[in-house]
Amino acid sequence: MARYLALRALQALWVLWAAFTLSFVVLYLLPADPVSIAADGAGAGTPVDKAAIAELQARYGLDRPLWEQYWTALGHAVRGDLGHSIVTGQPVTDAIGDALPATLQLTGTALLLAVLGGVSLAFAATYIRRPWLRGALAALPSLGVSVPTFWTGLLLLQLFSFHWRLAPAFGGHGFAGTVLPALTLALPIGAVIAQVLTAGLETTWRQPFVDVALAKGGSRWWVQLTHVLRPASVPAFTIAGVLVGNMLAGSVVVETVFARQGVGRLTQTAVLAQDIPVVQGVVLLTSAVFVSVNLAVDLIYPLLDPRIAARSRGGADESEHTTADAAEEAIIRA
């Protein structure tokens, strides 16, 4: 286990370094000048004093060679210093810290709704025996995945905010202001979880140990709840772990549609202004969340399915059954 954790920690460091380097290269390949964009804060396109631009470039180290800028930024990032925003001058860690609570509230609520909705739908689609109703429930995840997020948000706004006036349209706080954007973000994720979990439940129902449980007198409901659900949930659990990292990216659209403050809006503003330190800070945050969640998912696998723990005890090769492997299996099953 110690060797496995050390290997996963090295992989996490490699992912963070790759994300930082790729974002640095991509941002510096863009043709626009971030200092000129920041100096022209009003966006009027008026000529900016060249002396002011030179002063800003020297302040942020943008007048130095590219390799020197890279090593300086990487060294500061290793020490936890992500620099200052070119547009506002605010430390990047403070900017992300101010925006993060609203995004955590949104993504946490969305993840809860997605898991509850996806598990309930998959459970009903495999438990109900009426073929027409079972087919209709099994088709719902495909519909949920295919609907664009921004369209879902606009539809919910039209119905619940403008027509029935049950929730604030823009910038709301608390439960009333969070439920609509969380539902918008949760719908495609819950649909994927339901799709993968349905396939897992149907596959597990065909396993011999299920016949044994039924032969011992267990009801269909009890067998599905106690014997089928836990091993069948491994692929869906893997997909949920992968999608948690994508929720931060999805928050850009949702926070824009509902005019909410958060990491998504911060990212959108930073990309438009080519505010390189802020964009790199958000990229590192997203990568860290993605790596941490998937490491946690890998460690929880043996608790869900004892066969994985048995394979892990059988040899080091099996212990390297990672999230990526399980995600690939889940996609194939779905």
Side-chain angles (χ1 to χ4, degrees):
M1 181 58 77
R3 177 176 174 273
Y4 173 71
L5 291 177
L7 180 63
R8 294 291 291 163
L10 288 175
Q11 289 177 344
L13 292 176
W14 185 89
V15 169
L16 292 176
W17 171 80
F20 180 88
T21 303
L22 283 175
S23 62
F24 183 90
V25 171
V26 170
L27 288 170
Y28 275 90
L29 285 178
L30 295 177
D33 180 12
V35 171
S36 299
I37 296 175
D40 185 20
T46 54
V48 183
D49 182 29
K50 292 183 178 180
I53 292 178
E55 193 275 333
L56 284 174
Q57 287 179 331
R59 181 189 306 172
Y60 291 103
L62 299 176
D63 56 343
R64 289 178 286 178
L66 190 59
W67 64 268
E68 187 176 344
Q69 294 180 43
Y70 171 75
W71 284 113
T72 302
L74 182 61
H76 288 168
V78 170
R79 295 192 294 271
D81 180 8
L82 300 178
H84 292 71
S85 167
I86 295 176
V87 176
T88 64
Q90 184 184 21
V92 174
T93 50
D94 291 351
I96 293 176
D98 293 342
L100 194 57
T103 298
L104 288 179
Q105 182 188 34
L106 172 65
T107 54
T109 307
L111 183 61
L112 180 63
L113 292 175
V115 172
L116 290 178
V119 172
S120 300
L121 182 58
F123 207 85
T126 53
Y127 182 75
I128 293 176
R129 294 191 174 185
R130 294 180 183 276
W132 66 270
L133 183 56
R134 187 171 180 161
L137 292 175
L140 284 178
S142 300
L143 178 64
V145 173
S146 61
V147 175
T149 302
F150 73 92
W151 187 85
T152 305
L154 293 176
L155 179 64
L156 293 177
L157 275 176
Q158 184 67 31
L159 291 177
F160 292 94
S161 296
F162 300 134
H163 185 69
W164 293 321
R165 300 183 183 280
L166 296 176
F170 303 111
H173 301 286
F175 178 79
T178 305
V179 64
L180 289 187
L183 192 58
T184 305
L185 192 59
L187 185 61
I189 296 173
V192 173
I193 292 175
Q195 197 168 28
V196 175
L197 184 57
T198 301
L201 288 171
E202 291 175 346
T203 301
T204 309
W205 264 108
R206 294 192 288 271
Q207 298 298 316
F209 69 85
V210 177
D211 296 332
V212 173
L214 291 172
K216 287 183 177 179
S219 66
R220 197 161 178 268
W221 169 269
W222 178 255
V223 171
Q224 171 142 318
L225 189 64
T226 59
H227 294 279
V228 176
L229 181 59
R230 200 169 64 167
S233 64
V234 172
F237 190 69
T238 304
I239 288 294
V242 173
L243 293 176
V244 165
N246 293 335
M247 291 181 80
L248 287 177
S251 68
V252 175
V253 176
V254 174
E255 290 176 354
T256 301
V257 170
F258 289 91
R260 287 176 57 90
Q261 297 300 317
V263 175
R265 289 292 297 277
L266 178 68
T267 307
Q268 180 205 20
T269 305
V271 170
L272 290 176
Q274 208 173 325
D275 196 344
I276 296 172
V278 175
V279 175
Q280 284 189 311
V282 174
V283 169
L284 283 178
L285 171 68
T286 306
S287 303
V289 170
F290 184 84
V291 167
S292 302
V293 170
N294 282 281
L295 178 59
V297 168
D298 283 343
L299 296 178
I300 294 175
Y301 276 151
L303 302 179
L304 292 176
D305 192 342
R307 293 171 297 181
I308 296 177
R311 286 200 299 267
S312 299
R313 287 193 296 269
D317 292 340
E318 287 79 4
S319 69
E320 294 176 0
H321 182 90
T322 62
T323 301
D325 301 327
E328 184 178 357
E329 294 172 5
I331 292 171
I332 292 173
R333 287 188 184 188

